[in-house]
Amino acid sequence: AQSVTQPDIHITVSEGASLELRCNYSYGATPYLFWYVQSPGQGLQLLLKYFSGDTLVQGIKGFEAEFKRSQSSFNLRKPSVHWSDAAEYFCAVGASGGSYIPTFGRGTSLIVHP
Amino acid sequence: DAGVIQSPRHEVTEMGQEVTLRCKLISGHNSLFWYRQTMMRGLELLIYFNNNVPIDDSGMPEDRFSAKMPNASFSTLKIQPSEPRDSAVYFCASSPPRATGWNTGELFFGEGSRLTVL
């Protein structure tokens, strides 16, 4: 069975600082990996995805993530955080064959200080 | 383009009442997911449809929950009778097809239906 761990429940950063949100997954084969963002009162929005190829993937809103197979990780990064980035971030893993049913982590809440 | 549309956005009901949540998929999408979100349990998959057929309903809590997909663009999630522990935000998400007919894994979420059962 696939699973996702987001070790940080909350992360606080100052506006303009860099950001890294951690994600570790468990899956026996090559996974499909996703990051989603959820603003208060909203549904989840896809930030970026990794299916294959280049292990550094670019997403929307200036985010990027790097797939590291040896560490079973897919960490999300942004070089300079804006106050509008404050939200809940979810990492998800999906099986790489057949039907993709994503399993979501518990989420990391990002707090941005001015 | 219209996204996934859920209704109602908010529902307050009393224990024992029937609740029906509705979801309209994005045109052209062939997979439909119902998730439940709570502080205690996070995002839980309730049921997954592909081409109108339920593929995985192992997350449906019990017989009080049922989901249907009468056509390619619409789904309902029904709780009968409702209980206070069903209080949560229920999300519907759709996904476009791959060449194989399965979904791409990219989910497009609605804004959710917040259910409160008193």
Side-chain angles (χ1 to χ4, degrees), chain A residues 73-97:
Chain A
S73 68
F74 189 57
N75 294 348
L76 182 71
R77 300 194 293 250
K78 187 170 185 178
S80 178
V81 169
H82 188 262
W83 64 267
S84 60
D85 293 324
E88 191 85 13
Y89 291 81
F90 294 90
C91 181
V93 61
S96 59

Side-chain angles (χ1 to χ4, degrees), chain B residues 31-45:
Chain B
S31 292
L32 183 282
F33 301 78
W34 281 102
Y35 283 90
R36 177 170 66 177
Q37 185 178 39
T38 60
M39 289 292 292
M40 291 294 293
R41 302 172 70 91
L43 266 170
E44 301 174 276
L45 177 68

Side-chain angles (χ1 to χ4, degrees), chain A residues 11-84:
Chain A
I11 290 280
T12 300
V13 299
S14 297
E15 190 169 17
S18 64
L19 170 71
E20 182 170 34
L21 302 182
R22 296 184 290 165
C23 172
N24 294 98
Y25 68 89
S26 174
Y27 182 64
T30 300
Y32 285 14
L33 296 160
F34 309 85
W35 275 99
Y36 288 82
V37 60
Q38 184 181 28
S39 297
Q42 301 294 313
L44 282 70
Q45 180 187 19
L46 181 67
L47 278 177
L48 48 78
K49 61 184 184 288
Y50 170 78
F51 283 0
S52 64
D54 193 345
T55 56
L56 184 64
V57 294
Q58 302 297 321
I60 62 172
K61 305 185 181 188
F63 285 92
E64 66 178 25
E66 186 172 12
F67 170 55
K68 292 186 177 180
R69 185 189 302 274
S70 61
Q71 299 177 18
S72 297
S73 68
F74 189 57
N75 294 348
L76 182 71
R77 300 194 293 250
K78 187 170 185 178
S80 178
V81 169
H82 188 262
W83 64 267
S84 60

